[in-house]
Amino acid sequence: MIRFLAKRLGQSIVVILLVTVIVFLLLHSVPGGPARGILGPQASPQAIAAFNHEHGFDKSLVQQYWAFLSRLLHGDLGDSYTLNQSVGSLISQRLPKTLVLTGLSTLVALLVAIPLGVWQGRRRRGLTDYAVTTVVFIGYATPVFFLALILVIVFTEKIPILPPQAPQGQSLGALFADSRALILPVLAGAIATVAAFSRYMRSAVLDNLAEDYVRTARAKGASERRVVWLHIMRNSLTPIIAMLGYYLPVLFSGALVIESVFNYPGMGLLFWNAAQTSDYPILLGTVMVIALATVIGSLLADIIQALVDPRVRGAIR
């Protein structure tokens, strides 16, 4: 197990380094460079030269990347060009709010998707299974921003029972104080996730229904309820656990869109505003956070899967 963890940790470090290279190159792939992007197309050559000298963009790419990597290792993501704050402080203010939104959406999705997947697996190839599968595929195929707009139209205009804007509090307590305003953003994030997770759960249940241990449990006289919810569901959760880690970037990217639609004061809104003002330090800092979340999520998924599934532990050994 220790050897497995060391190997996965080494792979994660390599991936993070590759991400830093890609992020660094993206910064320099902007037409005219970062200076032209932030100062605008009408900026004079003197203004561009002064900007490049101030931010170290007049050095070689190797020197710039080394300075960029050194800052990252010290937790320095640079300073915002437009907000006059460090990117680290901005992200530390917004990230907990995005984690709340993502966490609530994932929790709601799991509470619906796991029983739904089990129910579909037990009633496979039936009329209800086909009907639910159709609805699930529609939810999965619908873009998050379009789904969010539909929810706003339905629940704020046609049936005006919920506010169209997310809570605007600066603290987590203020967000939860206006819990009604959290419902639509959470639903928008949960619906697409339900569609993905329920399909995985259904497939896992179908695979486990054909296993020998299920026939043995039934032969011993165990009730169908006990067989399904104690044996089949427990063993079917392994792919869901693995998927949670790998699905993190999708959850984060969905949250970025949802926050923009509902004006939710999280990382997504910060990213959107930075994109409109060409504030590259914020854009790159957000990308780095998402990349780290992806790597950490996949690493945690592998570890949890090894702890939960004896077959995985045997393969590791």
Side-chain angles (χ1 to χ4, degrees):
M1 188 68 176
I2 295 178
R3 183 179 179 183
F4 167 75
L5 291 177
K7 180 180 178 181
R8 287 293 289 112
L9 186 60
Q11 292 172 346
S12 301
I13 293 173
V14 171
V15 171
I16 291 173
L17 286 175
L18 289 175
V19 169
T20 64
V21 173
I22 294 172
V23 168
F24 175 77
L25 293 177
L26 284 175
L27 175 64
H28 290 271
S29 65
V30 179
R36 181 67 67 183
I38 190 64
L39 297 178
Q42 304 301 323
S44 65
Q46 294 79 9
I48 291 177
F51 182 91
N52 287 335
H53 180 72
E54 180 183 355
H55 294 89
F57 293 130
D58 54 349
K59 299 178 181 178
S60 67
L61 284 178
V62 175
Q63 289 176 311
Q64 290 183 53
Y65 176 73
W66 181 252
F68 172 69
L69 189 61
S70 299
R71 290 196 301 270
L72 285 181
L73 292 175
H74 288 87
D76 182 7
L77 295 172
D79 296 318
S80 167
Y81 294 154
T82 58
L83 300 178
N84 296 320
Q85 283 184 261
S86 68
V87 175
S89 65
L90 289 170
I91 290 178
S92 65
Q93 294 168 11
R94 303 294 188 98
L95 182 58
K97 300 173 185 177
T98 296
L99 291 176
V100 166
L101 177 61
T102 305
L104 289 175
S105 299
T106 305
L107 179 61
V108 171
L110 290 176
L111 290 176
V112 175
I114 291 175
L116 181 62
V118 174
W119 183 80
Q120 281 189 271
R122 293 181 63 195
R123 291 164 175 78
R124 62 191 181 281
R125 298 175 185 172
L127 183 60
T128 53
D129 181 32
Y130 290 135
V132 172
T133 298
T134 301
V135 174
V136 163
F137 274 128
I138 292 174
Y140 187 75
T142 304
V144 176
F145 74 90
F146 185 66
L147 183 61
L149 290 176
I150 290 176
L151 291 175
V152 169
I153 293 172
V154 172
F155 292 105
T156 66
E157 295 185 11
K158 302 298 182 183
I159 311 174
I161 57 175
L162 294 173
Q165 183 172 261
Q168 299 299 301
Q170 296 301 313
S171 65
L172 295 182
L175 292 181
F176 286 111
D178 191 8
S179 56
R180 287 182 67 252
L182 273 174
I183 294 176
L184 287 184
V186 169
L187 278 180
I191 290 174
T193 309
V194 166
F197 283 11
S198 65
R199 297 306 298 167
Y200 273 84
M201 193 67 189
R202 179 184 182 275
S203 299
V205 168
L206 289 176
D207 290 340
N208 282 281
L209 279 170
E211 292 292 334
D212 292 337
Y213 74 87
V214 174
R215 289 191 288 270
T216 302
R218 286 171 174 165
K220 289 181 177 180
S223 65
E224 186 67 15
R225 183 184 183 89
R226 181 179 178 83
V227 169
V228 171
W229 296 105
L230 182 62
H231 298 288
I232 293 178
M233 191 183 76
R234 180 180 178 183
N235 289 284
S236 300
L237 287 176
T238 301
I240 299 297
I241 293 172
M243 186 182 176
L244 270 174
Y246 303 129
Y247 211 69
L248 267 178
V250 180
L251 295 174
F252 263 91
S253 61
L256 299 186
V257 176
I258 292 168
E259 289 177 13
S260 302
V261 174
F262 291 101
N263 197 35
Y264 183 85
M267 291 266 297
L269 192 60
L270 179 68
F271 183 88
W272 175 251
N273 292 335
Q276 291 181 312
T277 58
S278 299
D279 201 333
Y280 293 105
I282 292 179
L283 296 177
L284 298 180
T286 306
V287 171
M288 285 301 304
V289 169
I290 294 175
L292 284 172
T294 303
V295 171
I296 293 172
S298 62
L299 179 61
L300 289 177
D302 288 343
I303 294 173
I304 295 173
Q305 192 174 12
L307 294 174
V308 171
D309 194 338
R311 294 168 295 182
V312 177
R313 288 200 299 270
I316 292 172
R317 291 169 186 167

